[in-house]
Amino acid sequence: MSSFALDPSRLPIRIQDFDPADAGGRDKERIKAETVELRGRIGKLQELLYANANQSLLILLQGMDTSGKDGASRMVLESVNPAGVQTSAFKAPNTEERAHDYLWRVHRRMPERGYIGVFNRSHYEEVLIVRVDNLVPEKRWKKRYAQINAFEEMLVAEGTIMLKFFLHISKEEQKQRLEDRIADPHKNWKFQSSDLLARAKWADYMRAYEDVLNETSTAHAPWHIVPADKKWVRDFIVAKTVVDALETLKLDWPKPKEDLSKFVIE
């Protein structure tokens, strides 16, 4: 079981070719135990990232409602020192944000060097909801694929590691989760009627997501398609991908800036 990191040389892909319920034949309890270990590893690696403060990591989560963006965020950050994390949830832009270009609010929320950043939705809404709901002309949003690619290339060149996750949930599983929100008093607060409006446009969103994956999966910032029908699969894949990315940095504790042997604590 793994995420599907899209290889730019093997595009285009079709979303329908990826099974949102794929568990790779793995044992649920064993995977959940491995995920706990991975969460702890993320916490330790985050300390090294913070101590070195020369690179940052962005975890970008996109997906339909109920796909688990909040759940994946909580899981990844469970063992991480809050002081080293910056999270952002992108909703409809406010008045100030609308007065700037569409990437302005995103750029200012990028994680600082040494930090892990988490985006719950992101600049990709500017080629998803604006397309499906006809909020901007097609000739305008189509140009944004290339603009986003250039933006992300600059961020990576400046030291940001970008992990982009498409949480791939089926329409059937979403139906079950929405019904659970209505039936369970403890989950009622999560339900919004707007979820049903987006669900009614499922096919349009799948076409939009497919274009996003094909147009913006690059060598410097590839998309990972994560089967999200099973939460334990989703959590394991996201955690494993984050650990692998941080371990690739081969971080060690930085050396002190002064000779510590000359200090005597009385």
Side-chain angles (χ1 to χ4, degrees):
M1 182 210 328
S2 64
S3 65
F4 300 94
L6 297 184
D7 182 348
S9 67
R10 302 185 68 178
L11 300 175
I13 56 90
R14 299 186 306 169
I15 286 181
Q16 67 189 54
D17 292 335
F18 297 85
D19 181 6
D22 179 25
R26 303 287 288 274
D27 178 72
K28 178 178 179 179
E29 295 309 313
R30 181 175 178 180
I31 289 298
K32 290 176 74 172
E34 289 184 26
T35 302
V36 172
E37 294 178 4
L38 290 168
R39 286 202 304 260
R41 182 65 179 149
I42 291 172
K44 294 177 181 178
L45 290 167
Q46 182 267 338
E47 289 186 62
L48 286 169
L49 184 72
Y50 188 83
N52 282 272
N54 52 19
Q55 290 179 285
S56 60
L57 175 73
L58 176 66
I59 300 168
L60 186 155
L61 302 165
Q62 285 285 161
M64 296 294 285
D65 296 316
T66 77
S67 60
K69 297 180 289 295
D70 288 334
S73 297
R74 287 193 300 271
M75 177 277 304
V76 168
L77 302 178
E78 186 167 311
S79 299
V80 172
N81 184 338
V85 177
Q86 297 169 337
T87 63
S88 298
F90 290 92
K91 302 182 184 296
N94 60 32
T95 301
E96 181 185 22
E97 291 166 344
R98 286 196 300 271
H100 293 80
D101 66 87
Y102 71 96
L103 289 173
W104 178 79
R105 66 171 181 161
V106 176
H107 201 172
R108 65 201 298 260
R109 297 188 196 179
M110 290 298 298
E112 301 172 42
R113 291 184 177 91
Y115 285 74
I116 291 178
V118 180
F119 281 4
N120 184 330
R121 301 187 187 275
S122 66
H123 45 293
Y124 283 100
E125 294 299 302
E126 302 296 338
V127 285
L128 289 166
I129 190 171
V130 300
R131 168 182 174 172
V132 174
D133 288 351
N134 297 312
L135 301 180
V136 299
E138 180 177 352
K139 64 180 181 180
R140 186 172 166 191
W141 60 253
K142 271 195 170 182
K143 292 179 181 179
R144 292 179 175 178
Y145 297 131
Q147 293 165 354
I148 288 171
N149 287 341
F151 173 64
E152 292 180 350
E153 184 175 14
M154 179 273 293
L155 294 173
V156 172
E158 290 295 316
T160 298
I161 300 165
M162 298 199 68
L163 297 179
K164 303 189 299 192
F165 297 100
F166 169 53
L167 305 184
H168 183 28
I169 190 173
S170 66
K171 193 174 184 180
E172 295 73 24
E173 178 62 21
Q174 189 199 57
K175 178 178 185 294
Q176 182 62 56
R177 293 184 187 181
L178 289 173
E179 289 176 343
D180 288 346
R181 290 181 178 183
I182 293 174
D184 186 346
H186 297 291
K187 295 181 179 180
N188 287 169
W189 64 273
K190 291 184 176 183
F191 183 80
Q192 300 180 60
S193 59
S194 59
D195 296 343
L196 300 182
L197 296 177
R199 179 174 170 80
K201 301 174 183 177
W202 187 277
D204 292 334
Y205 270 105
M206 289 303 102
R207 283 190 291 270
Y209 268 111
E210 190 169 277
D211 284 346
V212 161
L213 297 172
N214 285 319
E215 296 290 341
T216 64
S217 196
T218 59
H220 53 269
W223 277 98
H224 298 261
I225 301 181
V226 180
D229 274 11
K230 296 179 173 62
K231 296 177 183 179
W232 57 275
V233 171
R234 177 201 69 205
D235 289 351
F236 171 78
I237 290 174
V238 173
K240 182 69 164 61
T241 306
V242 171
V243 166
D244 288 348
L246 288 171
E247 288 186 335
T248 299
L249 299 178
K250 300 186 183 303
L251 296 173
D252 202 351
W253 295 108
K255 298 185 181 302
K257 297 179 180 179
E258 300 181 66
D259 179 6
L260 301 186
S261 63
K262 66 182 181 182
F263 295 100
V264 177
I265 310 299
E266 298 180 353

